Amino acid sequence: MEQNTKNGKLSQQGTKYTYEKFLDIIETLRSENGCPWDREQTHMSLRPCMMEEAAEVMAGIRTYDTTGNYENLREELGDVLLQVVMHAQIAKEEGIFTMEDVVNEVAEKMVRRHPHVFGDVNVNGSGQVLENWEEIKKKEKQGKNLEISPLREIPSELPSLAKATKILKKADKLYEPGKSYEASVEELRLAVDKLSALTPADYDPRITETVGDMLMALSNISRICRLSPEQILTDRTEDVINRYEKRA
């Protein structure tokens, strides 16, 4: 449908926006005569927004899974796309890359990392797909001047449980085999015994250390079983909320 304009401005009535028009809208918001708030934003100032919108998408997925209502998920995916395009527009203004570069790079990556789809490689199941993905990823980094270590390149901004699991997984592949499932379960059992012998106290360093050992053991179990401890805890927290505040 053709877009309506009035006094040179977009009219929402009867308008069906395209991806290209969306890029134009963000560029306009960032322009000299655009929105003062949007013009003030930087990559750094937008960091909390990206984190919040990603969390909103996760909430939208949960709502869709439990109720079948997809409207919130659709809206929140749009908000994440807004954050991506805002960063790309700022980068364009800085002369470093554009949204087209972002799309092209991720498209190239998907083709390159799926040789079993776009090439002649044969795989037996998703496990081999993941192995090939990691191997291709490793080759991509060869020759690049990376100043950070493999474990340090895992974003510190990740939630702690997710970060711990990723670090343990990577250390297992790059340095030495991680603790076994049985060893981690035993570590949990010993930690529980240790906690039972302690007297609860605020900020007790012994309790802090023991709880830390338990969380790392749980993270290692999650690594072995390919679980997401962060998501598990989020879901269990929702269960607690629902138990105390039952929905009508």
Side-chain angles (χ1 to χ4, degrees):
M1 185 177 292
E2 219 172 272
Q3 293 180 5
N4 301 318
T5 58
K6 184 177 181 180
N7 298 326
K9 295 187 177 182
L10 289 170
S11 171
Q12 294 183 7
Q13 186 176 2
T15 299
K16 187 72 173 180
Y17 294 107
T18 64
Y19 168 73
E20 289 73 19
K21 190 60 188 177
F22 178 58
L23 298 184
D24 291 341
I25 290 171
I26 303 305
E27 185 172 10
T28 299
L29 290 173
R30 290 277 303 175
S31 67
E32 184 177 352
N33 297 318
C35 170
W37 185 89
D38 288 287
R39 290 178 59 196
E40 291 174 356
Q41 300 313 303
T42 66
H43 295 300
M44 291 296 291
S45 71
L46 288 172
R47 289 193 308 168
C49 298
M50 179 65 83
M51 186 176 296
E52 291 167 13
E53 298 302 349
E56 293 289 349
V57 168
M58 299 299 289
I61 292 172
R62 184 177 65 251
T63 298
Y64 174 58
D65 183 62
T66 56
T67 69
N69 188 321
Y70 58 82
E71 293 182 358
N72 182 248
L73 175 58
R74 180 182 62 198
E75 178 184 355
E76 299 304 340
L77 286 172
D79 288 343
V80 168
L81 178 61
L82 167 60
Q83 294 302 312
V84 173
V85 173
M86 276 286 285
H87 282 285
Q89 176 59 34
I90 294 171
K92 179 181 178 180
E93 295 162 11
E94 295 171 339
I96 54 178
F97 61 81
T98 66
M99 190 64 200
E100 288 75 14
D101 295 327
V102 172
V103 172
N104 184 70
E105 183 168 338
V106 72
E108 286 183 344
K109 181 189 293 184
M110 290 300 98
V111 172
R112 189 170 60 247
R113 294 190 184 179
H114 290 83
H116 54 288
V117 177
F118 302 104
D120 55 5
V121 173
N122 295 318
V123 295
N124 294 316
S126 60
Q128 193 174 353
V129 170
L130 293 176
E131 289 178 9
N132 290 347
W133 178 285
E134 290 298 328
E135 190 61 32
I136 294 169
K137 186 177 179 181
K138 188 186 302 181
K139 290 179 180 178
E140 289 172 353
K141 293 183 178 181
Q142 290 178 356
K144 292 185 178 180
N145 185 23
L146 300 175
E147 297 181 357
I148 55 178
S149 68
L151 298 184
R152 296 261 179 220
E153 73 178 4
I154 295 173
S156 59
E157 288 80 4
L158 276 175
S160 297
L161 286 173
K163 181 181 178 183
T165 305
K166 289 180 75 70
I167 286 176
L168 290 171
K169 179 181 177 181
K170 205 160 194 177
D172 175 73
K173 287 181 176 295
L174 297 178
Y175 299 114
E176 63 182 20
K179 292 181 180 178
S180 67
Y181 179 87
E182 293 76 13
S184 293
V185 171
E186 177 64 13
E187 188 174 0
L188 279 174
R189 189 187 66 77
L190 293 174
V192 170
D193 291 343
K194 186 175 180 180
L195 280 178
S196 299
L198 295 173
T199 302
D202 292 347
Y203 313 114
D204 188 311
R206 296 170 300 172
I207 294 178
T208 299
E209 181 181 2
T210 305
V211 170
D213 291 341
M214 295 175 72
L215 290 172
M216 289 303 294
L218 288 170
S219 296
N220 195 52
I221 290 172
S222 298
R223 171 191 70 83
I224 294 169
C225 299
R226 294 186 178 180
L227 303 176
S228 170
E230 201 72 42
Q231 191 59 55
I232 291 170
L233 185 57
T234 297
D235 293 341
R236 296 298 289 171
T237 303
E238 280 297 312
D239 291 341
V240 171
I241 293 173
N242 291 335
R243 186 167 75 245
Y244 286 111
E245 301 176 354
K246 293 181 180 178
R247 295 173 182 171

